[in-house]
Amino acid sequence: MTPAELSRTVLHAVRRAVDAGELDVTVPERAVVAPPGPGGCGDYATNIALQLARPAGQPPHRVAEVLRPYLVGVDGVADVVLTGPGFLNISLGGAAPAALVEEIRGAGTRYGYADGPDGRIVQLHCPYDLRAVVVAEAAARILRSQGALVRVTAEGFDPEWTAVLGVRTDGVGPAPASLPVNVRPVPAPADPLPLGRDAARWALLHPAAHDRPRIGDEHLAQRESNPLFRVRYAHARTRALTRNAADLGFEGRPGPVQSQDLLAALGDYPRVLAAAADHRAPDRLARHLVAVADAALPFLTTVLPRGGEKPSAAHRARLALAEAAGTVLAGGLTLLGIDAPDHL
């Protein structure tokens, strides 16, 4: 069961409880599922009981107790445990990794995208400031991935920003009073253009909007201390594994595989995209890509057969998961306007 399927399963449980008269609430449009926090357990947790407690007029723990029987026994769900004030911690069956990898393979770099337009119309307006324009443009890309119609305008614009960083807007000039500036991150302390497109965009997008970005050669360093390098290197390694596996005569095939950190990071990607869109915060996506890369890099060393070992079903499953990680990294970098090279 994929995270998206699990979210729908949670909503279906709420609907069944409502239909049975055990809860008197309006079924929400969305149920957030994410890796368990401190004190949690299982593969995913949801706070849906806390969300429904007030409208239901019941304590969160009681709402969770009502919902648990409607989740236990569902295909793909192995167990449900209540923790804290009312969190539902869900353990999935053994087919979950394969299903997640299949979902990513099917969607490609559009994994985590909305199915279509959701009716939102968003206007992002920024001052005459390079970081603001880059943040607004990246936020617009992420919002569009989630179904919104977005327009980006700025009070001023330098053509060199397009020439070096590839950044563009939909309009330039003073806005009417009804259109205030709504994208105003802390400006960069120095000109990032000498860093080039990819490093400059990362330097401006990786920090949160309220943090002052660092503009220095550390973003160009080809070493593990550079988060951008780790993300791009992890992506390039996944592509190299595909090439090396082809030389050995096998391809990736989804199946059971043990790498909980990587599976959790990949499964959480759609939620991160949605949150980055809701908060107009490309930094959330950038930091999650670092988390995916950091979970992937140790795993990638286990993918190919060693010595005289012959390719097995386990190797094919590991390769498929590695390729899924590469797909997510490529898709995320593309949304940030950063290249994801196959060779690094």
Side-chain angles (χ1 to χ4, degrees), residues 85 103 322:
E103 182 182 13

Side-chain angles (χ1 to χ4, degrees), residues 119-198:
R120 284 182 295 171
I121 300 176
V122 180
Q123 171 70 59
L124 301 179
H125 188 60
C126 43
Y128 179 32
D129 172 71
L130 175 56
R131 188 185 184 202
V133 172
V134 171
V135 169
E137 186 211 41
R141 292 171 189 250
I142 298 169
L143 277 159
R144 291 179 186 123
S145 79
Q146 301 304 296
L149 179 65
V150 190
R151 178 176 169 82
V152 178
T153 55
E155 294 182 341
F157 192 86
D158 187 331
E160 190 177 10
W161 298 350
T162 299
V164 178
L165 302 188
V167 66
R168 291 177 173 80
T169 65
D170 301 306
V172 179
S178 61
L179 188 61
V181 168
N182 57 7
V183 181
R184 196 190 291 273
V186 174
D191 182 9
L193 295 182
L195 294 175
R197 173 172 176 151
D198 294 333

Side-chain angles (χ1 to χ4, degrees), residues 16-154:
R16 290 173 64 196
V18 170
D19 291 344
E22 294 190 68
L23 287 178
D24 184 13
V25 296
T26 300
V27 180
E29 295 183 359
R30 183 180 173 203
V32 175
V33 296
C41 59
D43 298 299
Y44 291 99
T46 178
N47 66 349
I48 190 70
L50 284 75
Q51 179 183 340
L52 297 177
R54 179 173 292 180
Q58 300 186 46
H61 198 273
R62 173 55 188 156
V63 175
E65 289 177 334
V66 169
L67 293 176
R68 183 180 181 276
Y70 293 103
L71 289 168
V72 174
V74 172
D75 287 345
V77 174
D79 194 17
V80 180
V81 176
L82 275 61
T83 60
F87 290 100
L88 289 158
N89 295 258
I90 303 168
S91 297
L92 302 180
L100 175 60
V101 172
E102 284 283 15
E103 182 182 13
I104 296 172
R105 285 161 68 99
T109 54
R110 294 179 65 85
Y111 168 63
Y113 281 35
D115 293 334
D118 64 4
R120 284 182 295 171
I121 300 176
V122 180
Q123 171 70 59
L124 301 179
H125 188 60
C126 43
Y128 179 32
D129 172 71
L130 175 56
R131 188 185 184 202
V133 172
V134 171
V135 169
E137 186 211 41
R141 292 171 189 250
I142 298 169
L143 277 159
R144 291 179 186 123
S145 79
Q146 301 304 296
L149 179 65
V150 190
R151 178 176 169 82
V152 178
T153 55

Side-chain angles (χ1 to χ4, degrees), residues 6 187 226 233 264 287:
L6 181 57
N226 177 5
Y233 177 67
R287 289 195 298 274

